[in-house]
Amino acid sequence: MKKLTTSILAIALTASFGVMSAQNTQGDTLKVTDLREVVVTGALGLKKRQDAIVTSNKVIDTKELNQAVNPNAAQALTGKVPGLQINTTSNSVNSQAKVTIRGPRSISGNNEALIVIDGAISTLSIFQQLPPEVVESVNVIKGQQGSALYGEKGSNGVIVVTTKKGSKSEKIQFTLTSSIDVSTIYKTPIRQQLYGQGWTGEPTDFSDVEYGGTNWVPYENGSWGPAYNDPQIGGQSLIAGLPQADGSLIYSPYAPRKNNADKFFRNGVLIQNGISMNVGGRDSYSFLSFNRVENDFMIKGDNLKRNTVFYKGGKQLGKLRIDATFNFIDQNTSQTGGNLFGQLIQTPTNIDVRAYEAGGMDGHWTAFSRSPYWLRDHLRNDNNTTTFNGIVSLGYEFNKNISLTYTGNMSTISNVIETHTDAYGPNEAKTYNGTGTAYDGTNYLDYGATAITSAYNKTVNKIWRYYGDLMLNFNYDLTDDLNLKFNLGNNIQDTKEDYSQVGGTNLQIPGWYNIQNVLNATPWYNLENGKMRKRSVAWFSNLDLGYKDYLFLNATYRFEQSSALSIHETPAVGEAKRPLRNDGYSYYSAGVSFIPTKAFKNLSNGDILTYAKVSGGFTRTGNSVLDAYAVDEVGTFPTGFPFGTLSSYIINRTPVSQDIKPEFNNTIEANLSLGFLKDRITFDGSVYQTKTDGLITNSGVSNATGFSNVLDNAGSMRNRGFELELGVTPFKSKDFEWNVKGSYSKYKSVVTSLDNGALSVPRGASGQGIPAGLYAVLGGSANTIMGTAYQRDPEGRIIVDDLGIPVVSSQYKVLGKLDPDYILAFSTSIRVKGFTISAVADYRTGNSFVSEAKNLMSYVGTLEKQADFNRSNGYIIPNSVQNTGTASNPVYVPNTTPVGDDASYAGTVNYFTTNYGSDIAEEFVIDGTALKIREIALSYAIPKSVLASTFINSMSIGVYARNPFVVYAKDNRNFGDPEMQTGASLAVSQYPTARNFGFNFNITF
């Protein structure tokens, strides 16, 4: 048989996503045409050819990762890997992503994938800060078989990141990259354009005229005023907003302005510059990179500056191999702390938003919401994060069969967060004078606004992490046809965190943000101060058997002990102190891979079937989902007990069971890979099932115990799904090539049991007072949205009472779920000589989200549905009925009664500002279906013949767009991006989607 390279046993830092022959020794490379001969880095840095991998995985190379120049490497993976779901959860100056593989497995723990960088466990935060251009490849290990060696941390799948190495040329090579983006706001909520500023029942000194039952009020945030087409007022130039600093008033036509709230945002500019140097030789390499990112965000004053220094080098010293990676990241962000978007969507459509930028709070366009301009300038969060990550790898080859490797990683993260709020109260509020209107002699606070107390807080966090793998590796050809590789290792992980916070309210000197300037310090029990340490130790083994290069077996075993599960058991009365107990747990896997086209050569003789691979396996992993000291927590210091500031120790009322065990995931999967017509057509498919036993959640207990509930193993869950990916190359020649890929992925997660007769477990309540929440539901999803709903007749019509008010369900009902039914992804690339155009898109459907924005818009009267009837005649619930019979024998007739039995504008307003927003959660659950064009990029590589007489080795230029086109479901009137809801509701403070258009170039010399 072909001997597999001994580099399979090497540590991660000795490998890159190189092209390696199966017979070459470590370090040799040559070009091959079969991509399945490419060696990829997997769990614990072990490298294998794709043939020998027994689980489902997908490798994304640096070209595909960087085609749209996304500064966030995690976001750059979106739509490119079936089964990998990446949600942008925060669209701020420092946008953040959530990364999950094949859906949730826990209702209490973290379901995000494990990030491994150069063989050592890392964090998603570091991955998102890492310059994408230093990444050589990303191997997404979707199947549990590939993550079993990481124990509980690998239970949600693993993303293995391999960074670039230097070249083997002794000539120093430099690469310069530069790009500039322009970002614009996109998909803001669609608001009604028929009614303007005002409220019912509010005649003022400005006007006591009623227009169809309502009043024009120049300082209202509500759009409950007269219709724009009312001939008495429509189009007139009227006072809009509060007086400016010089006493002047802003006049505006009483007419709608489309997208007027968007004008608060500006175009943002994102600049990325990087330079790298690499050099090497026969037995060494060196790669050094400097990178700077500057993001001048769409909100003035919000900015990010990130500097990254990255070094990677290696040297062969006889039988000893040394590799090292050092990464230093310094990031500074400044962003507003105010709920800007929540203020903006309250803006009546007749307001010219930009006219109030210099007005501050006193000169805002309304007295009933905060000025977003004032909040932008006076509530700030400043964050400095310094990250150092160092990895040292050693490998010693005793002989051709036995080697010893060690990978040690140490990282430190220092974080300093300072937040400040400036005061706005009676001393700051200016009295309006000289306007000649009813404003004179008043100030902003006179209209009911509450004062803002100045405040300052400073938080300092320091995290230290150590990760170490020691492995003894064996590689033997047992026979001419049978190869054995065996790894025996030890893993130690140690994390320490120290965090302290100071702060308080009432700054003595305005504008000086320092704890010494705080007059009223926040009590210690309301601040976050403490230390944490968590350790785990494991022994593990990995076995690989290869038979004739077409049949492969992999088996793993890991025994792990975590300090989070160390228990100081409470002794019985009169019993001596019990010793510390720490039970270890086993995780294991077994899988096979079979290549029929290599086993039976006649299968591929006709060039129809080029390649076939069948693989599958069983894996058992686990997840403790517990924080440090959770099991050992025995008491708390409550505030106000027994009275005043006196604090007394009491037993924790929500303890963790001392018999708690990890959640165990038992997974089976099967995979099929096919290639036709010399891989002009490729197919990859996977099917899997994961059963989670011992689901950790709060379990109700008898009140006689004195506790309300206990965190314990109290349920089970099942997750089933499959993934299909089809690749086609319709045309391929020297000057023209077209590649198309499409994928379909689907999973369904079901809670199969809950203890103590529970039917659901609450996971969080929605904001804005919406009567809804996120639940794990027996027989349903762990990400189920439940809330109040309309009662309906057998025909689906809404039932209303005698007053025309909808009858609402007495109990929460299932209204939707966060998980999509399926995800379709599409990508294509077309190369014509030096030109390449590429695009990535995906489509998600079946998911829903709870919109706080729609709830707030309903209160201020800007929903489209609030303008599709004549408000002056009251509001009759569409498609509604009344029961003229009895409860047991109902008779439903069409409803003609307006809400509140009040056929007036006031009746309409009263309903939408009371019952509608606080009673009926169903109204705010939105279809999360979305089609997104994630990336479009066009690049041109300058021909080498043009560069032959210059010092430049290669040069390319390009233009690109990220999120250029997005289509939401019909009932999502741009209320929010469905990706951004991760909890019980999509916060009204979350900024809308942004899209980026940019230019980049790359030069190597």
Side-chain angles (χ1 to χ4, degrees):
M1 67 174 288
K2 296 179 180 179
K3 296 180 182 178
L4 297 179
T5 174
T6 56
S7 66
I8 292 175
L9 303 177
I11 49 181
L13 286 176
T14 65
S16 66
F17 184 73
V19 184
M20 304 185 70
S21 165
Q23 292 183 333
N24 291 338
T25 58
Q26 181 178 347
D28 294 334
T29 63
L30 58 90
K31 291 185 178 179
V32 295
T33 56
D34 187 355
L35 291 178
R36 300 174 187 91
E37 299 298 318
V38 171
V39 174
V40 297
T41 303
L44 296 179
L46 301 178
K47 297 189 294 184
K48 304 177 184 180
R49 289 185 297 115
Q50 194 69 40
D51 281 352
I53 295 175
V54 301
T55 192
S56 175
N57 76 303
K58 173 86 174 190
V59 177
I60 302 297
D61 63 17
T62 184
K63 181 179 179 181
E64 189 174 0
L65 187 73
N66 288 284
Q67 62 189 15
V69 201
N70 197 320
N72 187 314
Q75 292 177 346
L77 292 170
T78 308
K80 298 173 183 177
V81 181
L84 175 66
Q85 185 173 338
I86 296 177
N87 289 352
T88 298
T89 57
S90 172
N91 190 30
S92 63
V93 66
N94 184 27
S95 63
Q96 297 296 303
K98 180 181 179 182
V99 180
T100 56
I101 299 176
R102 294 180 169 177
R105 299 168 181 83
S106 176
I107 62 176
S108 299
N110 184 352
N111 285 293
E112 293 195 49
L114 175 67
I115 305 297
V116 176
I117 300 177
D118 285 338
I121 287 178
S122 188
T123 66
L124 178 61
S125 175
I126 292 178
F127 181 39
Q128 292 184 104
Q129 294 179 49
L130 198 66
E133 64 261 31
V134 307
V135 176
E136 182 67 27
S137 69
V138 178
N139 182 17
V140 181
I141 305 177
K142 297 180 287 182
Q144 294 287 284
Q145 171 75 22
S147 56
L149 283 172
Y150 288 109
E152 69 172 29
K153 290 192 175 180
S155 63
N156 296 314
V158 181
I159 296 178
V160 178
V161 180
T162 303
T163 59
K164 290 181 178 179
K165 296 198 305 184
S167 68
K168 295 196 173 183
S169 170
E170 294 184 358
K171 181 181 177 181
I172 298 178
Q173 180 175 279
F174 294 91
T175 299
L176 177 65
T177 60
S178 184
S179 67
I180 182 169
D181 290 0
V182 175
S183 57
T184 59
I185 201 70
Y186 187 43
K187 292 290 185 181
T188 55
I190 300 172
R191 295 175 297 150
Q192 58 88 3
Q193 301 285 307
L194 298 181
Y195 293 90
Q197 194 172 22
W199 206 279
T200 59
E202 285 193 9
T204 67
D205 291 335
F206 294 94
S207 173
D208 59 0
V209 178
E210 282 203 353
Y211 304 91
T214 189
N215 302 107
W216 162 71
V217 183
Y219 48 82
E220 260 296 347
N221 66 330
S223 294
W224 295 114
Y228 288 127
N229 62 4
D230 189 318
Q232 298 180 80
I233 192 172
Q236 293 186 28
S237 181
L238 302 174
I239 297 171
L242 301 167
Q244 302 304 294
D246 60 359
S248 64
L249 295 170
I250 295 174
Y251 284 79
S252 178
Y254 193 72
R257 299 172 182 266
K258 271 205 166 185
N259 302 320
N260 64 330
D262 296 14
K263 302 301 187 285
F264 173 80
F265 298 93
R266 59 178 185 170
N267 289 338
V269 178
L270 173 65
I271 300 174
Q272 302 179 73
N273 290 303
I275 185 170
S276 63
M277 177 212 72
N278 69 80
V279 66
R282 182 180 60 85
D283 58 2
S284 61
Y285 67 89
S286 186
F287 176 82
L288 178 64
S289 170
F290 297 92
N291 181 275
R292 179 171 174 87
V293 176
E294 293 186 55
N295 187 1
D296 198 10
F297 193 54
M298 296 178 295
I299 295 174
K300 184 179 178 181
D302 284 17
N303 59 75
L304 174 147
K305 295 179 181 179
R306 181 165 66 224
N307 296 297
T308 303
V309 180
F310 179 88
Y311 174 77
K312 187 173 184 177
K315 177 71 174 177
Q316 186 77 40
L317 300 171
K319 293 186 175 183
L320 177 65
R321 179 78 190 179
I322 302 176
D323 295 270
T325 300
F326 300 101
N327 189 26
F328 176 81
I329 304 170
D330 183 70
Q331 177 175 285
N332 290 275
T333 62
S334 179
Q335 53 190 325
T336 179
N339 179 11
L340 299 188
F341 198 64
Q343 312 302 317
L344 279 170
I345 61 176
Q346 299 179 55
T347 308
T349 52
N350 57 287
I351 295 295
D352 180 6
V353 168
R354 287 182 176 173
Y356 301 84
E357 181 168 8
M361 195 77 82
D362 300 298
H364 187 28
W365 57 75
T366 175
F368 300 114
S369 72
R370 306 294 190 187
S371 164
Y373 290 109
W374 189 93
L375 295 174
R376 180 195 70 185
D377 298 334
H378 295 276
L379 274 77
R380 304 297 304 174
N381 294 329
D382 299 317
N383 189 333
N384 171 249
T385 303
T386 303
T387 303
F388 173 80
N389 190 54
I391 305 173
V392 175
S393 298
L394 304 173
Y396 187 82
E397 190 175 273
F398 296 101
N399 54 50
K400 67 177 183 177
N401 304 115
I402 304 174
S403 64
L404 182 70
T405 59
Y406 171 77
T407 298
N409 168 229
M410 188 191 74
S411 64
T412 60
I413 302 174
S414 298
N415 188 238
V416 180
I417 304 172
E418 292 184 276
T419 65
H420 71 259
T421 303
D422 291 331
Y424 184 84
N427 294 332
E428 290 77 25
K430 299 175 182 177
T431 300
Y432 305 128
N433 286 305
T435 67
T437 68
Y439 283 129
D440 290 342
T442 67
N443 63 42
Y444 177 83
L445 296 176
D446 290 335
Y447 296 89
T450 58
I452 298 175
T453 303
S454 60
Y456 170 79
N457 285 278
K458 182 176 182 178
T459 304
V460 179
N461 294 333
K462 185 168 184 179
I463 302 173
W464 176 89
R465 293 189 180 96
Y466 167 78
Y467 176 92
D469 277 327
L470 179 66
M471 285 194 292
L472 184 62
N473 313 299
F474 302 89
N475 184 355
Y476 284 93
D477 287 328
L478 302 180
T479 69
D480 288 342
D481 296 329
L482 185 62
N483 176 262
L484 175 144
K485 298 174 182 64
F486 182 71
N487 314 88
L488 181 64
N490 170 259
N491 171 252
I492 298 175
Q493 298 179 55
D494 195 350
T495 300
K496 293 188 292 186
E497 184 173 353
D498 193 336
Y499 48 95
S500 58
Q501 186 179 40
V502 295
T505 59
N506 290 315
L507 304 183
Q508 185 172 11
I509 302 174
W512 182 30
Y513 309 118
N514 190 289
I515 189 60
Q516 299 178 65
N517 193 38
V518 170
L519 292 178
N520 301 110
T522 302
W524 62 269
Y525 45 77
N526 287 334
L527 296 171
E528 295 291 333
N529 290 280
K531 294 183 178 181
M532 182 277 290
R533 187 170 189 180
K534 187 175 181 179
R535 300 186 69 198
S536 67
V537 178
W539 292 93
F540 60 86
S541 61
N542 177 74
L543 171 68
D544 285 292
L545 289 173
Y547 178 74
K548 286 190 174 181
D549 207 23
Y550 63 73
L551 181 62
F552 303 91
L553 167 70
N554 174 258
T556 70
Y557 178 81
R558 181 182 178 104
F559 181 81
E560 185 167 18
Q561 290 178 291
S562 171
S563 65
L565 293 171
S566 297
I567 300 172
H568 289 278
E569 291 184 313
T570 304
V573 177
E575 184 184 5
K577 182 179 179 181
R578 295 181 180 179
L580 179 71
R581 175 167 63 88
N582 187 296
D583 296 328
Y585 298 93
S586 299
Y587 312 103
Y588 45 84
S589 69
V592 294
S593 172
F594 175 57
I595 319 297
T597 47
K598 290 187 176 182
F600 310 105
K601 296 296 184 181
N602 59 326
L603 288 177
S604 56
N605 283 345
D607 288 336
I608 300 297
L609 179 64
T610 308
Y611 179 82
K613 173 185 172 181
V614 180
S615 63
F618 170 81
T619 306
R620 180 176 174 84
T621 59
N623 189 1
S624 68
V625 309
L626 297 177
D627 294 327
Y629 318 123
V631 176
D632 202 36
E633 185 181 18
V634 293
T636 60
F637 286 93
T639 59
F641 177 84
F643 54 83
T645 58
L646 183 62
S647 181
S648 176
Y649 175 90
I650 65 171
I651 295 175
N652 179 20
R653 296 299 180 90
T654 57
V656 177
S657 169
Q658 293 197 336
D659 295 322
I660 199 167
K661 296 177 176 60
E663 300 174 338
F664 285 105
N665 303 318
N666 298 301
T667 301
I668 55 173
E669 71 166 327
N671 312 292
L672 175 65
S673 295
L674 300 172
F676 301 93
L677 304 175
K678 296 184 179 179
D679 285 347
R680 296 287 286 271
I681 300 175
T682 60
F683 170 83
D684 289 283
S686 298
V687 60
Y688 58 88
Q689 174 179 277
T690 298
K691 290 184 177 180
T692 302
D693 299 321
L695 206 61
I696 295 177
T697 184
N698 284 315
S699 177
V701 295
S702 169
N703 291 332
T705 64
F707 304 129
S708 56
N709 54 64
V710 174
L711 193 68
D712 201 355
N713 303 104
S716 59
M717 175 190 265
R718 183 187 66 235
N719 189 356
R720 290 175 178 166
F722 63 91
E723 299 142 8
L724 306 173
E725 183 177 49
L726 180 66
V728 180
T729 304
F731 302 99
K732 186 175 183 180
S733 66
K734 178 182 177 182
D735 294 330
F736 179 70
E737 183 175 348
W738 179 22
N739 295 296
V740 180
K741 282 186 179 180
S743 68
Y744 177 91
S745 58
K746 177 183 179 67
Y747 67 84
K748 186 175 183 180
S749 179
V750 176
V751 178
T752 52
S753 70
L754 292 171
D755 287 1
N756 300 323
L759 298 177
S760 63
V761 174
R763 301 184 61 194
S766 295
Q768 292 292 119
I770 302 172
L774 188 65
Y775 289 78
V777 176
L778 182 63
S781 169
N783 287 324
T784 297
I785 299 169
M786 296 185 69
T788 55
Y790 292 112
Q791 289 191 20
R792 299 176 184 269
D793 73 352
E795 296 181 27
R797 297 174 296 183
I798 297 172
I799 301 172
V800 300
D801 60 19
D802 294 341
L803 296 177
I805 303 295
V807 180
V808 182
S809 59
S810 58
Q811 295 182 339
Y812 276 17
K813 293 185 175 182
V814 173
L815 302 176
K817 57 185 175 60
L818 300 190
D819 305 322
D821 286 342
Y822 60 86
I823 299 176
L824 287 172
F826 170 84
S827 64
T828 185
S829 65
I830 300 173
R831 178 183 57 82
V832 181
K833 293 189 176 181
F835 289 93
T836 301
I837 185 170
S838 59
V840 178
D842 67 4
Y843 173 79
R844 306 180 188 185
T845 189
N847 54 308
S848 302
F849 68 99
V850 180
S851 173
E852 294 181 14
K854 183 180 180 182
N855 182 275
L856 181 56
M857 290 171 64
S858 72
Y859 183 82
V860 295
T862 55
L863 293 179
E864 292 171 290
K865 67 178 295 180
Q866 295 171 323
D868 61 5
F869 63 96
N870 188 338
R871 293 177 174 181
S872 300
N873 297 330
Y875 178 61
I876 299 175
I877 303 297
N879 193 32
S880 61
V881 295
Q882 287 181 319
N883 181 10
T884 59
T886 64
S888 59
N889 187 25
V891 177
Y892 297 109
V893 298
N895 170 49
T896 58
T897 304
V899 289
D901 196 17
D902 187 349
S904 69
Y905 202 131
T908 300
V909 175
N910 182 64
Y911 171 72
F912 279 107
T913 56
T914 54
N915 303 82
Y916 183 81
S918 59
D919 292 350
I920 312 163
E922 179 182 339
E923 281 287 341
F924 309 108
V925 178
I926 310 299
D927 185 350
T929 297
L931 170 64
K932 292 190 174 185
I933 309 300
R934 301 284 183 172
E935 299 176 353
I936 297 178
L938 173 65
S939 64
Y940 176 66
I942 309 298
K944 291 187 180 295
S945 58
V946 175
L947 303 174
S949 59
T950 70
F951 68 95
I952 299 174
N953 297 329
S954 64
M955 179 178 178
S956 64
I957 57 175
V959 293
Y960 54 87
R962 297 193 297 274
N963 290 326
F965 305 106
V966 176
V967 179
Y968 291 146
K970 185 177 180 180
D971 75 335
N972 183 5
R973 309 302 288 167
N974 298 348
F975 295 126
D977 189 331
E979 286 185 34
M980 295 181 185
Q981 177 169 342
T982 57
S985 58
L986 175 53
V988 71
S989 59
Q990 180 61 263
Y991 298 132
T993 300
R995 50 184 177 181
N996 295 63
F997 301 91
F999 165 84
N1000 71 297
F1001 70 87
N1002 185 304
I1003 301 175
T1004 301
F1005 55 91

